[in-house]
Amino acid sequence: AQSVTQLDSQVPVFEEAPVELRCNYSSSVSVYLFWYVQYPNQGLQLLLKYLSGSTLVKGINGFEAEFNKSQTSFHLRKPSVHISDTAEYFCAVSQPVNNDMRFGAGTRLTVKP
Amino acid sequence: EAEVAQSPRYKITEKSQAVAFWCDPISGHATLYWYRQILGQGPELLVQFQDESVVDDSQLPKDRFSAERLKGVDSTLKIQPAELGDSAMYLCASSSTSAVYEQYFGPGTRLTVT
């Protein structure tokens, strides 16, 4: 089965600085990749997804991610963060054949003024 | 914009009591999921429905957990009896047949077992 590793449990960053949240996956077959954001005591909101095609994917709130098949990575980036980006971010992988979605443990992004 | 509805948002119960959570997916979404999210971890699938049928319940602790989606629309997840280790966020998600890979999540139910 597929699995996801989020390499950083916490990422503190100052407002207007760039940020990268790292995600590596493991799978023996082709996969779909996702990034979700979760604000305190709320459900998950889809930021962006990679299904096929261009390896650079743009999502909501100015986030983007790049699929790197050779490195089995799907890192999330934003060139300039805001206080409101403070949240938990989850990387997820699923197999198209059975829609079995697995989540990483999450990365807590804290944006400081 | 259509949303997944869940209730209650918060639930506190004593161990050994029964508890139930309700989920109403986005209208027309055939696939419904229940996840459990322990604090500090990612969600883990408990059960997946396709219409009224269970597709995957391999991670559902069947000695105490049950789930149903009788008419293929809304769903109920029950725990009886609740244990201290069941304290978690219970998330419901749904997806459409045309885009089954894209799951939309509800706000969750935060369960605290005392």
Side-chain angles (χ1 to χ4, degrees):
Chain A
Q2 69 277 23
S3 65
V4 176
T5 302
Q6 292 185 242
L7 300 165
D8 307 291
S9 60
Q10 297 185 58
V11 173
V13 64
F14 287 105
E15 192 174 17
E16 297 183 6
V19 70
E20 178 179 80
L21 306 184
R22 298 180 294 167
C23 172
N24 286 103
Y25 70 92
S26 174
S27 176
S28 58
V29 298
S30 62
V31 294
Y32 293 155
L33 293 157
F34 307 83
W35 275 100
Y36 285 87
V37 61
Q38 185 177 35
Y39 299 100
N41 289 313
Q42 293 188 28
L44 278 67
Q45 180 183 6
L46 181 65
L47 277 177
L48 48 79
K49 61 183 181 287
Y50 171 80
L51 306 179
S52 65
S54 173
T55 57
L56 183 62
V57 180
K58 294 189 183 297
I60 63 171
N61 301 342
F63 284 93
E64 64 180 33
E66 185 157 18
F67 170 57
N68 188 319
K69 188 175 182 179
S70 63
Q71 298 192 7
T72 60
S73 68
F74 191 56
H75 301 333
L76 182 71
R77 301 186 183 99
K78 186 169 183 177
S80 176
V81 294
H82 303 292
I83 298 289
S84 59
D85 292 323
T86 294
E88 192 85 19
Y89 291 79
F90 291 95
C91 182
V93 60
S94 73
Q95 292 187 0
V97 292
N98 60 13
N99 196 35
D100 177 13
M101 184 173 284
R102 304 295 174 97
F103 289 84
T107 296
R108 174 72 180 171
L109 174 64
T110 302
V111 181
K112 301 177 287 186
Chain B
E1 182 177 310
E3 296 180 341
V4 176
Q6 288 188 249
S7 67
R9 291 293 312 278
Y10 303 91
K11 181 70 177 179
I12 299 174
T13 191
E14 295 182 347
K15 63 180 180 180
S16 80
Q17 295 298 303
V19 64
F21 315 128
W22 177 80
C23 172
D24 191 13
I26 292 173
S27 179
H29 279 194
T31 309
L32 184 148
Y33 315 79
W34 282 103
Y35 288 89
R36 177 170 60 185
Q37 184 181 21
I38 295 170
L39 192 63
Q41 298 182 22
E44 293 181 327
L45 182 69
L46 290 174
V47 61
Q48 178 181 340
F49 289 92
Q50 179 69 29
D51 299 311
E52 67 275 9
S53 301
V54 173
V55 173
D56 182 359
D57 64 355
S58 57
Q59 301 304 309
L60 188 71
K62 298 181 187 63
D63 57 334
R64 298 184 301 107
F65 285 64
S66 64
E68 61 183 18
R69 194 185 183 197
L70 295 176
K71 297 184 178 179
V73 181
D74 59 338
S75 175
T76 302
L77 178 70
K78 297 178 181 177
I79 308 175
Q80 182 175 17
E83 296 181 352
L84 295 178
D86 297 330
S87 293
M89 175 79 90
Y90 290 83
L91 294 164
C92 180
S94 69
S95 61
S96 69
T97 304
S98 59
V100 67
Y101 47 78
E102 189 160 337
Q103 298 184 26
Y104 293 85
F105 284 80
T109 296
R110 170 74 67 187
L111 174 67
T112 302
V113 182
T114 61

